[in-house]
Amino acid sequence: MACLAAGPAPGAVILGDSLAAGWPEPDLTAATGLPILNLGLPGDRVQTTRWRLAAMAAFALRPRLAVLMVGTNSFADGDAPGTIVAGLAALVAALRAAWAPQRIVLATVPWRESPPGRSEADRLALNAAIGGLARNEALLLLDGDAAFRPEPTHGLEADRLHLNARGYAALSAALASLLRTG
């Protein structure tokens, strides 16, 4: 996790799990056009990201943009889509209360090897629910599936979960496009 040190305030923050943490800063900065503070943490679940945000809310950050990329670990651990989306809604509310970003981007869970007990249909149902939350809360939706077409596995590391450089480049291009048009 990045250190919150004295200096110029970031124009954008990213919160989430290892997919957020691994997003190269130059790619994020190019996509957003803003100095970025990456607060992603490997292993984070929706509820731990909410807890960390609550712990950091005292920092007087006022980013213009916040990117939320969290949910793959909650999904893998068997949380129901409704539980994950309710947690994301609470995270969005906490983010608005703490730092009041002008724009919030909510990312879907990109294609990944299905964890035990979960299917591709489960992931797609989760992403549909995330899309509904984005519409209801007036958030920008970063669709990981659309970013990785036609072949999602080309953007993944050998573990078929984490993104490789090609995956982050595709996601960065999708984020830049979303911010231009959204």
Side-chain angles (χ1 to χ4, degrees):
M1 182 170 79
C3 178
L4 294 176
V13 296
I14 183 169
L15 291 146
D17 52 38
S18 59
L19 301 179
W23 204 327
E25 185 177 340
D27 290 2
L28 274 167
T29 300
T32 64
L34 298 167
I36 191 95
L37 176 62
N38 191 327
L39 298 171
L41 186 66
D44 247 12
R45 295 169 41 97
V46 173
Q47 62 268 38
T48 51
T49 300
R50 285 178 49 209
W51 177 85
R52 287 189 315 106
L53 176 61
M56 293 182 292
F59 291 98
L61 297 179
R62 291 292 177 252
R64 295 192 321 235
L65 172 69
V67 178
L68 300 175
M69 186 166 200
V70 62
T72 196
N73 295 319
S74 298
F75 172 74
D77 289 344
D79 291 358
T83 301
I84 295 169
V85 171
L88 289 169
L91 178 59
V92 167
L95 181 60
R96 285 179 168 148
W99 297 334
Q102 297 165 2
R103 299 168 93 186
I104 299 174
V105 173
L106 181 60
T108 61
V109 174
W111 187 91
R112 53 166 293 155
E113 185 73 38
S114 291
R118 299 313 288 257
S119 69
E120 177 63 0
D122 295 331
R123 188 188 67 82
L124 293 173
L126 171 60
N127 282 346
I130 290 171
L133 173 65
R135 282 187 299 282
N136 292 340
E137 294 291 329
L139 308 173
L140 298 173
L141 182 67
L142 181 58
D143 184 345
D145 290 336
F148 298 128
R149 284 190 183 112
E151 180 52 53
T153 60
H154 291 170
L156 296 177
E157 294 286 352
D159 66 4
R160 298 174 64 86
L161 166 63
H162 294 95
L163 304 177
N164 60 25
R166 186 176 179 180
Y168 280 116
L171 206 55
S172 296
L175 177 60
S177 177
L178 178 64
L179 293 173
R180 276 193 309 274
T181 61

